[in-house]
Each structure stands twice: as structure tokens, then as C-alpha cells.
Amino acid sequence: CVDVLHTCDLGLTAHMVGIVMFWVAVVRNCFNKTTYAQRVESLQAHLRQWYKRTNCKYKLRFTLTLEKIRSKKGWPKLSGKAAPLRCLSKYAQSLMLEFGCPDSAVEYVAKSLEGVDRLLDFHRKVKELFRVKQFKKGCPCFVCRPELQHSF
């Protein structure tokens, strides 16, 4: 079965959300601040407002800093736990819509997050359906077992 936690939540989603947050706050300076630290502070304030507006259940348990949205090697990557990162994929999409970043690469990242989210949701629903029906041969979805893709 796909290791959703490590491949999607802590891997792909962490990078994609980090890229969008870094691009909007630091590179594009959408909050019109002078220093990187001030830009990330503004991003933190914006994120708090988004949490309130959306009643998000899973929140980051730390204050955003430049080091939290960029890896030690300098690449944008948000560190955090899986559930908040998964929720922040929707925040990244809202950042792109709100600030209208026309940069095609970043826009592609935001749209990819939506696709990953749909795939994960589909994967969970299929696993739950077959768990309820008590299938014993493991996850029967074509994401985990490509050989079953044409058996439906």
C-alpha cells in the first residue's frame, strides 16, 4: 500500500506548500514588507486569519520562520506534522487565488496539490469501502495494485 504519510504528506505536500508560501511571502513579497523575517511574520498573520475563516481543525504548532518554510539545503519545504500539512494544501491554493500569482510553475504546483488531495481522498474511500466489506488481500485499489486497474 502507498505510504501516504511519508510520500504525500511529509514529502510532496510539504514541498509544494513550502514552495507556494515561500514564493508568495518571500520572493513575490505580496505582503509588501522589507525583510524576509517581516514577510514571513505577515504570512503567519495571514495564516492565522485563514485558520479562523475556515475553522481548520489541524494547525501548525509553531510560529512560521524562514527556517520553517525552507529546508537546510535552501529549498522551499514546510516542516511540520502530516495532518496540518494536508490542511495547508488548501491554504496554498487560497494563497494562489488571493494573490493571483501568474507564474506558471507556482500555479502548476497549486493545481497539483489539488490533484494529490483528490487522489488521497479517493485512496482513503476505496480502502474504507473494502475494509468495511472485509477484504483480506490488502488494499484493492489500482493506486496500490496497478494490476487491478482494468478489473473493474
Side-chain angles (χ1 to χ4, degrees):
C1 194
V2 174
D3 181 357
V4 173
L5 172 72
H6 291 98
T7 59
C8 294
D9 297 330
L10 299 177
L12 187 63
T13 302
H15 278 287
M16 290 183 162
V17 170
I19 288 168
V20 172
M21 291 173 110
F22 187 81
W23 191 256
V24 166
V26 178
V27 177
R28 295 284 311 269
N29 192 15
C30 291
F31 299 109
N32 297 318
K33 299 295 179 181
T34 309
T35 67
Y36 287 172
Q38 290 172 336
R39 294 173 188 182
V40 175
E41 277 179 29
S42 295
L43 179 65
Q44 176 72 45
H46 188 270
L47 177 59
R48 282 192 195 119
Q49 291 172 352
W50 183 82
Y51 281 149
K52 287 179 186 175
R53 198 170 54 250
T54 61
N55 293 319
C56 183
K57 184 177 176 181
Y58 301 103
K59 300 174 183 163
L60 293 175
R61 295 185 180 182
F62 55 80
T63 301
L64 287 177
T65 62
L66 191 58
E67 292 75 26
K68 290 288 186 181
I69 62 172
R70 190 168 60 181
S71 71
K72 291 177 184 173
K73 294 182 180 180
W75 294 100
K77 180 180 182 182
L78 181 64
S79 61
K81 297 205 176 261
L85 286 172
R86 196 175 305 130
C87 290
L88 287 177
S89 67
K90 298 214 183 309
Y91 176 64
Q93 292 172 41
S94 76
L95 279 173
M96 296 301 299
L97 290 172
E98 182 176 345
F99 292 105
C101 300
D103 307 84
S104 60
V106 179
E107 188 176 339
Y108 174 77
V109 166
K111 287 181 181 178
S112 296
L113 283 169
E114 187 177 332
V116 169
D117 205 31
R118 281 197 311 257
L119 177 65
L120 292 176
D121 190 45
F122 169 76
H123 188 255
R124 284 186 206 103
K125 286 177 183 173
V126 168
K127 285 181 74 171
E128 182 62 24
L129 172 72
F130 282 94
R131 187 186 64 77
V132 168
K133 291 187 175 186
Q134 298 177 349
F135 281 79
K136 305 287 184 193
K137 295 181 180 178
C139 181
C141 83
F142 64 84
V143 174
C144 295
R145 296 180 53 201
E147 70 275 9
L148 299 177
Q149 186 168 2
H150 300 290
S151 66
F152 290 103

